[in-house]
Amino acid sequence: MSKPDEWVTVAVLGRARGIRGELTAFALSKPERYDSLREVFLFPEGSRHEVESAWFHDNRLILKFRGVDTMSDAERLTGCEVRVPLSERVHPEPGEYFESDLIGCEVVEREGGASLGRVTAFQDAGCSGVLEVEGRLLIPFVRAICVAIEPEARRIVVDLPAGLKELNQK
């Protein structure tokens, strides 16, 4: 499993914490995700590591890997991405979507079914976010506009407010 699309990054390792081999990490998932984390792979090298413990301290994820027992051991891992196989990705709650599931979806207008292009990026814009379509159209990712979200069909149906397309023209 060496293709990037076969992995999910769940954290990025920060600096060593203390002298026992613990590391701070930037969490990329919900806190409860780390309760069941047992085996991970650290990239770029792809080495397998058993998670000895994972917890939060002052809202910062702390990870301890089996066999990483000193500050020097931990410092060598700083900056690594903590990944799990895609098959172990947690399932989102109903109405929630992974950014990776949205990118690549075709965006079509509800009225008439015209294709607006494919989602090329997702911009975090506070609580809702914004879909970037073909690098030329920005669509707020809200239910009032994105009326049917079908990642399994690689499709998002939108009901654009009047003037939104014109507003985005460059």
Side-chain angles (χ1 to χ4, degrees):
M1 294 199 314
S2 59
K3 295 180 190 173
D5 61 349
E6 294 177 345
W7 299 97
V8 174
T9 302
V10 296
V12 177
L13 296 177
R15 59 184 177 79
R17 176 186 179 270
I19 61 170
R20 295 185 182 98
E22 300 165 346
L23 288 126
T24 63
F26 179 71
L28 298 173
S29 190
K30 295 179 179 181
E32 56 272 14
R33 195 291 171 249
Y34 303 98
D35 294 339
S36 62
L37 206 56
R38 300 292 172 251
E39 178 182 80
V40 298
F41 297 82
L42 302 184
F43 281 79
E45 71 274 353
S47 59
R48 179 193 164 282
H49 287 270
E50 185 179 340
V51 177
E52 198 171 288
S53 58
W55 72 96
F56 283 84
H57 177 74
D58 291 335
N59 294 320
R60 173 68 73 177
L61 176 62
I62 308 297
L63 293 171
K64 170 69 174 84
F65 301 110
R66 189 164 314 285
V68 177
D69 298 316
T70 68
M71 181 181 283
S72 295
D73 292 341
E75 287 172 341
R76 285 190 280 276
L77 302 176
T78 295
C80 287
E81 288 186 14
V82 180
R83 297 183 186 175
V84 296
L86 185 61
S87 61
E88 294 179 19
R89 179 169 72 173
V90 295
H91 298 288
E93 297 293 324
E96 291 183 348
Y97 303 92
F98 291 112
E99 182 178 319
S100 60
D101 290 340
L102 301 174
I103 294 176
C105 285
E106 181 179 16
V107 178
V108 297
E109 290 187 88
R110 176 164 67 176
E111 191 171 313
S115 176
L116 300 173
R118 297 205 173 270
V119 176
T120 54
F122 185 87
Q123 299 177 9
D124 187 6
C127 63
S128 63
V130 176
L131 299 174
E132 185 176 312
V133 181
E134 304 284 332
R136 59 179 167 70
L137 180 61
L138 300 176
I139 300 174
F141 189 61
V142 294
R143 279 280 179 201
I145 295 172
C146 300
V147 295
I149 303 161
E150 306 163 345
E152 63 286 342
R154 309 300 297 147
R155 184 175 114 122
I156 299 172
V157 179
V158 296
D159 188 9
L160 298 180
L164 183 67
K165 282 196 277 189
E166 296 74 23
L167 181 66
N168 279 277
Q169 288 181 346
K170 294 181 179 180

